[in-house]
């Protein structure tokens, strides 16, 4: 049987643009993984890794105009958004190069023998080594930052792990182009092209997670797809770490005092956040608790006005468009659900933004309204009107894990008057990032960032954004009683590489 073709499709028209590739067979996946495995030695030198990452950023910038043109043709995200995302991707590559140069991620710890300790301590030297080849499953909604050259790839290469990327079907032409850019950057440092492998096709993704030389995986996508891969990773003869980002409602709590103080600003800010990128952000606020009564009514009016002024938009593909239209229609038909601005079809190829409202009592216990507690991908949010703090808390208590949780407080509540601290404490178990008086869309690439959360937001406690994302692809190893001449250079007493380390209990930098 002939291999299935992989087409690049224009989401603005639904028409095929060009055939990019064919779906990889099991034999081709095997060859790609083995080629990546054979490049591990080329990544041992940290200076080479850092230089490779910086060259990748430079070459992506050099090809920016063509990459953005192709990305826009395949995703309809627009040049402004895509130029910004590519800039973020290049910044991220350089940030990981800096991390590699510094070397603190190795977590070097050295203990000399101490016969007086109970029990006695032998000579122990600990640091972290790369896991091996990493499988990366690209996201649909971030064709640069969470795809072939995105955070999973950048952090894995920084750790010294080659990657094999399963391209997302929504941007296959861009995936091929970006992979070729990364391989050119690798060649400039005598790193074999196999260090960044690329495969297409659903079955190829399954073969990839099962391959015995794959040591870990990173995934960004749906709960259904991510859970299937997570289970496959755990069911292998040798289970592997699976760092998956699966789905999130990103709840927002707006206090009565905040709603009374600035209804227009909060309503407009919510509208901007929930419709950003046509609602296709993983941190879109999808469930918003708004007080009943006059203060909340004013906020809902502001939200209504702002969302009503939002133009129809194109989703990443027509399958997502159909799912969105069907999903919001099903939710709107539930009892006591109202649609101040009706979301749905904006035309043959577009969708219109909107929002639903529902009394909090409908979500306080299990029932048909549980559908409203499931993520709906696209420009829609659910406004839950609560009567009192206890009712709001009863809704929060029913929520699964999330990437983010947000609270909007009044000026007095920010100053410590009221329940602000209690609400923060209630939100903390729900999410990996808790915001005050902000909006969750926009995830800064920074050392202190955490992009993850309790299941089903993610399948591990790690982050996929920020410097500590590198930790996902490393494991610790300790050498006991090894002669210094046999030790890796990173673990020698004289510290020739000048690494940050803990030496006999003292932190050295």
């Amino acid at each position: 049987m002939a291999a299935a073709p992989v087409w690049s499709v224009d989401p603005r028209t639904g028409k095929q643009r060009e055939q990019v590739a064919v779906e990889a067979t099991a034999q081709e996946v095997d060859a790609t993984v083995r080629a990546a495995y054979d490049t591990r030695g080329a990544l041992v030198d940290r200076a080479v890794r850092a230089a490779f990452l910086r060259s990748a950023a430079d070459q992506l910038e050099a090809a920016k105009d063509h990459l953005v043109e192709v990305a826009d043709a395949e995703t309809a995200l627009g040049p402004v958004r895509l130029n910004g995302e590519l800039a973020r991707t290049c910044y991220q590559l350089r940030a990981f190069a800096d991390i590699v140069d510094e070397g603190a991620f190795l977590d070097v710890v050295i203990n000399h023998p101490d016969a007086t300790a109970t029990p006695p301590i032998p000579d122990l030297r600990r640091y972290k080594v790369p896991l091996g080849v990493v499988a990366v499953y690209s996201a649909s909604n971030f064709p640069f930052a969470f795809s072939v050259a995105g955070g999973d790839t950048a952090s894995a290469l920084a750790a010294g792990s080659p990657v094999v990327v399963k391209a997302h079907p929504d941007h296959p032409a861009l995936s091929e182009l970006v992979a070729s850019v990364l391989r050119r950057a690798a060649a400039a440092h005598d790193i074999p092209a196999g260090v960044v492998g690329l495969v297409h096709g659903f079955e190829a993704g399954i073969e990839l997670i099962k391959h015995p030389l794959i040591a870990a995986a990173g995934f960004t996508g749906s709960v259904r797809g991510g859970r299937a891969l997570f289970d496959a990773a755990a069911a292998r003869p040798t289970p592997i770490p699976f760092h998956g980002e699966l789905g999130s409602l990103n709840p927002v709590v707006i206090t009565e005092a905040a709603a009374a103080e600035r209804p227009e600003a909060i309503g407009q800010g919510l509208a901007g956040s929930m419709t950003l990128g046509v609602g296709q952000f993983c941190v879109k606020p999808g469930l918003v608790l708004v007080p009943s009564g006059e203060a909340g009514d004013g906020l809902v009016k502001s939200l209504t006005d702002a969302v009503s002024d939002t133009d129809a938009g194109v989703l990443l593909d027509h399958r997502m468009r159909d799912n969105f239209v069907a999903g919001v229609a099903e939710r709107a038909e539930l009892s006591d659900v109202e649609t101040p601005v009706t979301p749905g079809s904006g035309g043959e190829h577009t969708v219109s933004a909107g929002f639903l409202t529902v009394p909090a009592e409908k979500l306080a216990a299990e029932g048909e309204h549980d559908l409203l507690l499931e993520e709906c991908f696209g420009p829609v949010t659910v406004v839950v009107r609560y009567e009192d703090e206890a009712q709001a808390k009863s809704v929060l208590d029913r929520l699964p894990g999330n990437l983010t949780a947000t609270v909007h407080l009044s000026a007095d509540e920010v100053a410590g008057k009221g329940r602000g601290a209690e609400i923060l404490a209630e939100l903390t178990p729900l999410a990996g990032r808790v915001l005050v008086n902000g909006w969750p869309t926009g995830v800064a690439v920074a050392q202190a960032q955490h992009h993850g959360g309790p299941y089903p937001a993610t399948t591990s406690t790690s982050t996929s954004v920020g410097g500590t994302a590198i930790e996902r692809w490393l494991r610790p190893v300790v050498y006991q009683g090894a002669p210094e001449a046999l030790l890796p250079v990173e673990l020698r007493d004289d510290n020739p590489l000048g690494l940050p380390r803990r030496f006999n209990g003292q932190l050295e930098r």
Side-chain angles (χ1 to χ4, degrees):
M1 184 171 61
V6 175
W7 290 92
S8 173
V9 177
D10 182 348
R12 293 182 173 96
T13 64
K15 295 181 179 179
Q16 294 175 339
R17 296 177 61 247
E18 60 176 328
Q19 182 179 339
V20 173
V22 295
E23 295 186 357
T25 64
Q27 293 76 20
E28 289 166 337
V29 171
D30 176 64
T32 303
V33 173
R34 292 186 184 280
Y37 184 81
D38 289 342
T39 69
R40 291 169 302 143
L43 296 177
V44 169
D45 189 324
R46 288 190 298 118
V48 171
R49 298 206 306 262
F52 170 30
L53 291 168
R54 292 190 177 99
S55 292
D58 292 343
Q59 295 205 31
L60 285 169
E61 286 177 341
K64 175 180 66 173
D65 291 345
H66 183 45
L67 293 175
V68 168
E69 180 184 9
V70 173
D72 184 47
E74 291 191 310
T75 68
L77 290 174
V80 173
R81 151 72 191 274
L82 290 166
N83 272 293
E85 187 185 329
L86 181 56
R88 167 208 170 118
T89 302
C90 294
Y91 174 84
Q92 188 163 247
L93 287 162
R94 294 185 176 112
F96 277 113
D98 292 341
I99 289 169
V100 173
D101 280 339
E102 181 195 53
F105 73 96
L106 295 170
D107 286 342
V108 176
V109 182
I110 295 175
N111 282 124
H112 283 169
D114 184 355
T116 67
T118 304
I121 297 173
D123 187 275
L124 297 171
R125 294 159 191 263
R126 180 186 187 272
Y127 78 147
K128 290 181 177 177
V129 298
L131 288 173
V133 183
V134 170
V136 172
Y137 292 81
S138 294
S140 61
N141 55 342
F142 282 87
F144 290 118
F146 283 83
S147 188
V148 176
D152 286 348
T153 295
S155 57
L157 293 172
S161 291
V163 300
V164 176
V165 181
K166 191 275 182 187
H168 197 281
D170 281 351
H171 39 82
L174 179 68
S175 298
E176 288 285 348
L177 287 172
V178 172
S180 68
V181 170
L182 295 185
R183 289 166 185 155
R184 287 199 302 270
H189 303 282
D190 296 322
I191 300 172
V195 72
V196 177
L198 184 69
V199 297
H200 297 268
F202 177 81
E203 292 298 329
I206 296 174
E207 292 296 328
L208 187 60
I209 199 67
K210 291 167 23 180
H211 198 285
L213 294 182
I214 291 295
F219 171 91
T220 304
S222 68
V223 173
R224 181 180 177 183
R227 182 55 194 254
L229 290 171
F230 177 53
D231 291 345
R236 291 167 36 127
T238 301
I240 59 171
F242 183 86
H243 301 284
E245 179 190 319
L246 310 188
S248 184
L249 272 176
N250 306 298
V252 178
V253 176
I254 299 169
T255 67
E256 185 171 8
E261 184 176 83
R262 51 184 199 285
E264 290 188 7
I266 295 176
Q268 291 171 2
L270 173 57
S273 185
M274 59 161 278
T275 61
L276 186 65
V278 202
Q280 296 173 112
F281 278 61
C282 53
V283 287
K284 178 199 74 176
L287 187 82
V288 187
L289 281 86
V290 174
S292 298
E294 185 176 347
D297 291 345
L299 191 156
V300 171
K301 181 181 184 304
S302 171
L303 177 63
T304 300
D305 293 342
V307 174
S308 296
D309 288 338
T310 303
D311 294 334
V314 177
L315 294 185
L316 292 161
D317 62 42
H318 279 61
R319 177 186 58 82
M320 292 182 187
R321 180 195 173 278
D322 292 345
N323 288 341
F324 174 78
V325 172
V328 294
E330 185 179 6
R331 287 163 172 79
E333 290 175 357
L334 295 171
S335 62
D336 296 303
V337 170
E338 298 181 357
T339 56
V341 183
T342 303
S345 175
E348 184 181 358
H349 305 294
T350 61
V351 296
S352 59
F355 69 98
L356 316 175
T357 66
V358 65
E361 64 183 21
K362 296 296 179 180
L363 295 174
E366 186 175 348
E368 63 170 350
H369 290 82
D370 286 0
L371 180 62
L372 300 174
L373 302 181
E374 297 178 12
E375 180 183 14
C376 187
F377 195 72
V380 66
T381 196
V382 176
V383 173
V384 181
R385 304 299 300 270
Y386 66 91
E387 298 291 340
D388 52 36
E389 294 166 355
Q391 199 174 66
K393 186 176 184 304
S394 70
V395 175
L396 293 176
D397 287 344
R398 299 203 60 231
L399 297 187
N402 290 271
L403 294 170
T404 72
T406 300
V407 60
H408 277 265
L409 304 172
S410 68
D412 282 347
E413 289 169 327
V414 168
K417 302 173 183 177
R419 292 187 64 252
E422 293 177 43
I423 297 173
L424 279 183
E426 291 169 0
L427 294 179
T428 298
L430 289 177
R433 179 162 59 105
V434 180
L435 297 87
V436 177
N437 288 359
W439 298 104
T441 39
V443 185
V445 179
Q447 289 280 20
Q449 186 59 273
H450 185 82
H451 188 62
Y455 186 85
T458 53
T459 60
S460 72
T461 59
S462 302
T463 180
S464 61
V465 178
T468 54
I470 195 173
E471 295 174 1
R472 297 174 296 169
W473 322 120
L474 298 162
R475 69 175 181 87
V477 61
V478 61
Y479 294 91
Q480 179 174 331
E484 184 147 327
L486 305 183
L487 285 168
V489 66
E490 293 87 351
L491 296 179
R492 294 177 185 173
D493 281 349
D494 59 353
N495 196 15
L497 301 179
L499 293 170
R501 64 182 186 174
R502 187 169 291 279
F503 189 81
N504 287 330
Q506 299 299 312
L507 188 65
E508 298 179 352
R509 292 189 178 274

